[in-house]
Amino acid sequence: MFWFALAVDLAAIILLSYCLYFRRHGRRDLLLAYLALNTGIFAVVSVLTQREVGLAVGFGLFGVLAILRLRSDTIGQGETGYYFTAIALGLVNAVAASAPWTLLGINALLLGVMFVADHPRLLARRERRLVTLDVVHEDPVSLRQDLEARLRGGVEHVEVAEVDYVRDLMVVDVRFRAAPTEPAFSPSRRGGVSARTGRR
């Protein structure tokens, strides 16, 4: 049953990392990270389940490693979801190797949830940006109009994070609906405004 579970795990992580994540988000470094993490967890947990070592020790170890890995680089919340799904697939496929139907069902569930939850049409063109403006707006209406002109989309929510009257700038957290013609990856700077972007 080990080889069956290994084949299922490899197929599942390839579907998750390449067919779902990479084709939608395009980060090659995280593609490799998901593959390595999943296969490493599968291998180690498979050994732990066959030895006189408490399985809780293995889970605790990978929990610590996951926290350290997440703190070592800046990744989005959506990418964190893929990260933990890769961990879950490795754990499930190693532990449930003796129950093939349970194994297949959980794999299908995890992959199906990620396929639907991260589908571009589910929350189409909703984006979040932390924007630094080169002007301070006292009027919320003028602030919203300025942001809509710069971001070329309908602003849904604005939260002012910082105002600097000395340097005449302000930092705002913006949720908006992007225009259909806007490219998927916008420049980080455009005409006096800098932004960090994130899909919602």
Side-chain angles (χ1 to χ4, degrees):
M1 298 305 294
F2 170 81
W3 297 110
F4 173 77
L6 176 61
V8 172
D9 184 64
L10 291 176
I13 192 59
I14 289 172
L15 286 173
L16 177 74
S17 60
Y18 181 74
C19 297
L20 295 183
Y21 175 77
F22 185 71
R23 285 178 172 269
R24 291 177 178 178
H25 302 278
R27 285 191 60 176
R28 184 176 180 274
D29 56 337
L30 288 181
L31 168 66
L32 297 176
Y34 296 149
L35 288 168
L37 179 70
N38 172 268
T39 53
I41 287 180
F42 178 86
V44 174
V45 174
S46 295
V47 172
L48 290 177
T49 56
Q50 299 176 15
R51 301 288 181 179
E52 296 298 327
V53 179
L55 192 57
V57 175
F59 287 144
L61 172 63
F62 285 112
V64 172
L65 291 177
I67 294 173
L68 293 176
R69 176 64 184 85
L70 287 173
R71 291 174 62 88
S72 66
D73 192 12
T74 301
I75 63 176
Q77 296 301 316
E79 291 162 335
T80 303
Y82 280 96
Y83 187 83
F84 282 109
T85 302
I87 294 177
L89 287 171
L91 291 173
V92 167
N93 291 324
V95 173
S98 59
W101 290 112
T102 301
L103 181 149
L104 291 173
I106 296 178
N107 275 264
L109 173 64
L110 291 172
L111 293 174
V113 167
M114 294 304 296
F115 174 79
V116 173
D118 192 41
H119 199 283
R121 294 183 180 178
L122 184 63
L123 296 174
R125 311 305 298 177
R126 294 303 196 278
E127 295 189 16
R128 171 184 178 268
R129 294 188 185 180
L130 189 63
V131 180
T132 301
L133 296 172
D134 57 357
V135 61
V136 175
H137 291 283
E138 299 290 348
D139 181 16
V141 176
S142 64
L143 171 60
R144 182 179 292 267
Q145 291 174 345
D146 186 12
L147 289 170
E148 289 182 344
R150 293 176 185 269
L151 299 174
R152 299 180 182 178
V155 173
E156 296 181 339
H157 176 76
V158 179
E159 182 176 345
V160 178
E162 180 183 350
V163 176
D164 190 332
Y165 290 103
V166 176
R167 294 182 293 171
D168 195 28
L169 62 83
M170 65 191 306
V171 180
V172 291
D173 188 346
V174 188
R175 276 79 166 180
F176 68 102
R177 299 186 310 275
T181 56
E182 183 174 350
F185 297 95
S186 301
S188 59
R189 293 186 178 272
R190 180 188 298 169
V193 57
S194 64
R196 293 196 295 272
T197 66
R199 292 282 183 184
R200 292 192 71 206

